[in-house]
Amino acid sequence: QVQLVESGGDLVQAGGSLRLSCAASGSRIVINIMGWYRQAPGKERELVAMITRGSRGLTTNVTDAVKGRFTVSIDGAQNTLYLQMSNLQAEDTAVYYCNANVWTAATGSQYYWGQGTQVTVSS
């Protein structure tokens, strides 16, 4: 069974940095898409960043709200997605979730969610 496990969330002061990770595990998996979402209390879940495979290799996208501060990357050998977060602000406080489209022999391609990791930024 495919599992996504996030880690790296913490309590930090404004201006600080964190690196989140999302490790995908399973037998004979092929990852097509991996991305980060976040959800603050009382707010809708929103897309933060993602990586997709295309004809010219990997393509990264970061939403305007975090552009210039957050960087998404992937370690293909370890099936691990990262989100490097710098100059964190109070409005970045949220639960951050990993999402991935993963192929397996048993189920084909499906989307999976991790359980989330809490990021709290204090002023």
Side-chain angles (χ1 to χ4, degrees), residues 12-92:
V12 299
Q13 290 189 319
S17 299
L18 286 173
R19 189 176 78 159
L20 307 183
S21 64
C22 171
S25 63
S27 180
R28 294 180 59 201
I29 63 172
V30 178
I31 301 173
N32 299 306
I33 304 169
M34 293 192 80
W36 289 100
Y37 293 74
R38 68 184 182 184
Q39 188 167 24
K43 304 295 183 180
E44 295 183 354
R45 188 172 299 185
E46 63 175 344
L47 176 66
V48 178
M50 65 169 27
I51 295 179
T52 60
R53 288 194 294 109
S55 61
R56 295 172 177 81
L58 299 177
T59 299
T60 63
N61 298 94
V62 180
T63 60
D64 290 341
V66 303
K67 190 168 295 183
R69 298 188 297 118
F70 292 8
T71 301
V72 63
S73 61
I74 191 168
D75 183 339
Q78 300 295 323
N79 287 331
T80 301
L81 182 74
Y82 298 97
L83 186 67
Q84 181 65 52
M85 312 164 71
S86 62
N87 192 23
L88 285 161
Q89 304 297 311
E91 53 265 35
D92 296 317

